[in-house]
Amino acid sequence: MTDQALPPIKTVDHKEDLYTAKPWQLIWRRFSQHTLALVSLWFLILLALCAIFAEQVAPYDPFKVSRLRTLAPPTAIHFFHEGQFVGPFVYGLSRERDADTARVLYEVDTETVLPIQFFYSGDKYSFFGLFSADIHLFGVDDRREQINLLGTDDLGRDVFSRLTHGARVTLSAGLIGVIFAFVLGLTLGSISGYFGGWIDSSIQRLMEFIRSIPTIPLWMGLAAALPIAWDPLFVYVLITLILALIGWTHLARVVRGQFFAIRNEDYVLAARLAGASEYRIITKHMLPSMTSYIIAALTLAVPEMILGETALSFLGLGLRPPIVSWGVLLQDAQNLRSISMAPWLLSPGVAVVMTVLAFNFLGDGLRDAADPYGQ
Amino acid sequence: MVAFILRRALLAIPTLIFISFISFVIIQLPPGDYVSAYAAELRRMGDYISPLQEAAMREQLGLNDPMLVQYWRWISAIVLRGDFGYSLDWNAPVSNLIWDRLGLTLMISSASLVITWLIAIPVGVYSATRQYSFLDYLFTVFGFLGKGVPDFLLALVLMWLSFSYLNLNVGGLFSPEFQNAPWTLAKVWDLATHLWIPLVVLATGGAAGLIRVMRANMLDELGKPYVETAYAQGLSEGKVVWGYPVRVALNPFISTVGWALPALFSGDIIVAVVLNLPTTGPLLLQALKMQDMYLAGSFILILSVFTVIGTLISDILLAWFDPRIRYA
């Protein structure tokens, strides 16, 4: 008896801490044990900042054509010039033509040292139409030389600048698509799960029907139906809607399944016996317990949307050139010739892969953390 | 069992009718029709077609009739005569066009399906029985990568690598000199040197996901009492693992095998476009872009019908393999 009466005080504290912790604290505690998910979260926050402040992060205007800098390779950043530390700088690039093939060749010119300037005044831009400015995060002060972290495309446009602007379109398309899917899925899923009966089975039939149409051909069919002449912004909204049209069935299934699982829980019964209204039961008792599952499902749905947008735009059925998205950028890398001459054109693909992986890891972490009372 | 199959088959019929109508509506959606697309194409090449000719063409092709009339003409020909209509773009019957490309499509997609399974099942079983081993981690990384890398990107990268480092002629299924040559040993070898890229791309994409599924299912099964019983009876590990839990863990494979049916027919459309494969996928893309409505519509219809039939087959197989499933 006396042995058991003297447990180490520290564990008691820890346990009481655990018992009194709020659900969100528990979720965060579980989530932060998942290193990969944590890293992904930070990566995505950084990416989102880059996308929001694309004009500032990008050193150049994404549409600025430089005839004398077509398909230039990525510029390397150096710190030491001839053995001396001079801080971050890039070398100039000299352009020549091969005498036999007339192909443009670039040579690093180690004579010209161009220090990288931070908060540099470069191309003018308008930030979301709110204000005009010309401050860029970094740049080089030279009339002819440029810093192209990821090289340039066949019109001499800076790929890195285009990538940051593309991030804005691609990520927001994914998020907006998920929001559409979320509204549809949550509404129909909760109606289906809460009322059951014939409403449930007819919604189920509808979902089964949508799922029985093969995804890619359906996307392609709908996307091909959008006329080329329409306003690109309108096409963008419609593309996200098309993506959501397929995506919502999965979310609705998750929501419906959760409703079925929770409907007969003791605390719902207790709330009902205590005289709570249906509306109050759903919003105050049932929905909060599902929030974490829904957030996890939403996170896992984003990469699907991003991949869908990329694939459609890549095929030429999605967003179209005046708009810059990662899929549109990948169109430049469609044929073997341009990839073998300029492998850096594949960098939007690398961005897609990293983003999709980050969302998947984040979603996995959230899903594991969604039920903090599990263990 | 027979009643179950019959009921499922009957349920599929209204779905099929609805799908056929939707496919027709989808291809009718874009403003303009085949004639305006054709006129635009002609203008692009510097040719000209007068509005009068356009109107005559429309009349001749029956494009002025109400949509329901056009739909009825289309669907009744398919059901009654197996006639999928005429591709306006290719100037050939739709069924011939599809038939021509179906052989190679089926070969590529069934080969990649078999390879996918041959990779996914043993690797999944290994990962589950040797959980948290070095190879398990390696396969996990591979699985995540396979999920994150779009197929077409993998195809592009492989194409680029084999072009610039292995000096292979890639893209398509044959080198130009074999394109129209009769089948010889040299042509088969040429095919093999081209075929490996699509096979690798398609198989890794599919296997990455299936490995995770197989591993998760096996982990669920391995802890169950019947596995312990088998071990207690002194059976070797190989016999226990392959004899009992694997058979249960294969259920999700069986329930998704039906979904492979439409995939077999279309191949992977995007990969085929990138690699310039003479399969059915690029044909569909072209038809959609040209608003070649009979071709595109027939395509979407056939794919959807295959999906419905595939689901039906899966349900039946599952009920047959797993007696725990009730015929409800």
Side-chain angles (χ1 to χ4, degrees), chain A residues 209 212, chain B residues 9-23 71 75 301-302 304-309:
Chain A
F209 171 69
S212 74
Chain B
L10 280 178
L11 261 178
I13 291 174
T15 319
L16 286 177
I17 293 173
F18 201 52
I19 282 179
S20 74
F21 187 67
I22 293 282
S23 349
Y71 168 72
I75 196 72
L301 178 69
I302 295 175
S304 313
V305 169
F306 275 174
T307 316
V308 173
I309 295 176

Side-chain angles (χ1 to χ4, degrees), chain B residues 25-102:
Chain B
V25 170
I26 286 176
I27 44 172
Q28 291 276 13
L29 269 182
D33 51 20
Y34 169 74
V35 173
S36 48
Y38 177 71
E41 183 75 12
L42 276 185
R43 263 197 299 282
R44 213 166 51 82
M45 294 191 303
D47 216 335
Y48 178 72
I49 178 169
S50 73
L52 220 66
Q53 276 171 303
E54 275 186 45
M57 236 176 119
R58 273 201 189 98
E59 193 57 48
Q60 195 190 348
L61 297 171
L63 296 178
N64 286 334
D65 299 334
M67 198 166 79
L68 272 176
V69 175
Q70 291 191 48
Y71 168 72
W72 176 247
R73 203 185 301 143
W74 178 64
I75 196 72
S76 59
I78 291 176
V79 176
L80 298 178
R81 283 172 276 134
D83 174 12
F84 283 93
Y86 202 74
S87 163
L88 306 169
D89 190 26
W90 290 76
N91 222 355
V94 168
S95 42
N96 286 7
L97 283 171
I98 295 179
W99 195 245
D100 277 352
R101 286 170 171 239
L102 201 57

Side-chain angles (χ1 to χ4, degrees), chain A residues 209 211-214 216-218 220-222 224-225 227 230 307 310-311 314-317 330 333-334 336 339-340 343 346 349-350 352-353 356-357 360-361 364, chain B residues 15 18-19 22 26 29-31 144-145 147-150 152-153 156-157 159-160 163-164 170 259 262 269-270 273-274 281 284-285 288-289 300 303-304 307-308:
Chain A
F209 171 69
R211 294 169 73 85
S212 74
I213 306 179
I216 297 270
L218 180 64
M220 283 166 63
L222 288 174
W230 285 3
L307 284 177
T310 314
F314 179 76
L315 286 178
L317 291 173
L330 275 175
Q334 213 165 23
L336 202 51
I339 309 176
S340 57
L346 280 175
V350 178
V352 170
V353 172
V356 167
L357 283 180
N360 275 328
F361 289 138
D364 277 352
Chain B
T15 319
F18 201 52
I19 282 179
I22 293 282
I26 286 176
L29 269 182
F144 272 114
L145 273 181
K147 220 166 136 188
V149 180
F152 68 89
L153 196 67
L156 276 174
V157 171
M159 223 158 76
W160 166 48
F163 175 75
S164 35
V170 286
W259 295 94
I269 296 169
I270 304 177
V273 170
V274 171
L284 170 63
L285 181 68
L288 283 171
K289 282 187 169 167
I300 296 181
L303 284 177
S304 313
T307 316
V308 173

Side-chain angles (χ1 to χ4, degrees), chain B residues 294-318:
Chain B
Y294 289 121
L295 185 53
S298 309
F299 242 106
I300 296 181
L301 178 69
I302 295 175
L303 284 177
S304 313
V305 169
F306 275 174
T307 316
V308 173
I309 295 176
T311 318
L312 192 68
I313 293 177
S314 273
D315 284 352
I316 294 169
L317 277 180
L318 206 58

